[in-house]
Amino acid sequence: MTLRTGHPLAYPVIVTIGALAICFAWAPFGDSEQVGLIGAVALVILGYSAFRLAIALGYLPSGIPGQTRKGEHGREVAVRRVRQQHRLVSRSWLEFTIGGRTRWLPVYFDPAFVALTQSSAELSGRAAYIDGRRVYPSGRLRDSEPVGRLIDNPARPDPQATAIATQAASLGRRLLLDAQSAIVAPFAGLLWVYVAGGGPTAFGGATVIAAAAATWLAAIRGSDPS
């Protein structure tokens, strides 16, 4: 799989690589116990990222409805994009109704979402397409409304949608927004030192690793910078 800069999965992959690089960079400065903890964090990052990306690419089921019989085309449904805002969490969801039941699918942010009005989507089991453009699930389909405030897209495209999408998709803005959750990093650093010991160097390394892990978690869960 080749990821272009504007690909919806490019940002979470870049942040995952960055978080792993930070873990490996601090490993030489720790003792055996600290290196073991760093290795455990790196394994969690690697394993959970692989799990999320496998769902996004359709290698693991996300619960997307699709064909009912072999050879059928994907199911066409009307969808709209909503943005969830809950505390520090901001995510994109596709909302659609099938069989009288409303369902929500979390998806990785795509700049095209900013200008998206109610559209027709093709659901084909493990993939979804809107106007021929594939969207990538960032989790499993839900039958219950996501918690927090759900903000609907306008009924008509915003004239400034292109400029807003370009600004929202910038790497710096996305990192800045996702790094808000890193506020807990110093507390994680104190806990690390309490459990594994060490002085200021251990505290500094643990804090940096915790901040990287918190930023990574927001990115791999499908944060929305718009």
Side-chain angles (χ1 to χ4, degrees):
M1 177 183 64
T2 301
L3 295 179
R4 305 181 304 276
T5 304
H7 194 285
L9 297 182
Y11 173 72
V13 168
I14 289 172
V15 175
T16 298
I17 293 173
L20 290 172
I22 288 174
C23 289
F24 295 142
W26 277 98
F29 299 98
D31 56 27
S32 59
E33 187 174 6
Q34 292 167 350
V35 169
L37 288 173
I38 293 174
V41 172
L43 284 176
V44 169
I45 291 174
L46 189 61
Y48 191 64
S49 297
F51 172 73
R52 285 284 186 169
L53 294 176
I55 290 178
L57 295 170
Y59 296 117
L60 291 176
S62 60
I64 299 176
Q67 302 98 323
T68 58
R69 294 190 300 271
K70 185 177 180 180
E72 286 189 347
H73 294 292
R75 178 179 296 180
E76 294 281 342
V77 298
V79 300
R80 63 191 185 114
R81 175 250 186 172
V82 295
R83 182 167 61 86
Q84 174 198 22
Q85 189 68 49
H86 179 60
R87 297 174 182 170
L88 296 179
V89 174
S90 180
R91 302 176 72 186
S92 277
W93 297 74
L94 297 182
E95 181 181 282
F96 54 89
T97 301
I98 293 181
R101 298 174 61 187
T102 301
R103 299 180 179 181
W104 292 266
L105 178 70
V107 289
Y108 284 103
F109 176 75
D110 187 320
F113 289 162
V114 176
L116 185 68
T117 57
Q118 181 165 307
S119 303
S120 177
E122 180 181 351
L123 309 179
S124 56
R126 294 191 176 182
Y129 299 85
I130 299 178
D131 299 328
R133 187 183 183 96
R134 182 171 180 176
V135 295
Y136 296 87
S138 61
R140 293 188 57 81
L141 188 71
R142 290 179 52 136
D143 292 327
S144 58
E145 182 177 296
V147 297
R149 187 162 61 106
L150 299 184
I151 304 170
D152 297 340
N153 264 22
R156 296 181 180 180
D158 188 332
Q160 303 296 323
T162 300
I164 294 173
T166 300
Q167 181 183 16
S170 67
L171 181 62
R173 173 182 170 83
R174 300 194 69 173
L175 284 173
L176 181 62
L177 293 176
D178 287 346
Q180 294 179 83
S181 55
I183 192 173
V184 301
F187 301 101
L190 289 173
L191 178 62
W192 186 310
V193 171
Y194 175 77
V195 173
T201 301
F203 171 76
T207 300
V208 171
I209 290 173
T215 304
W216 157 81
L217 185 59
I220 203 64
R221 294 184 69 237
S223 59
D224 185 329
S226 65

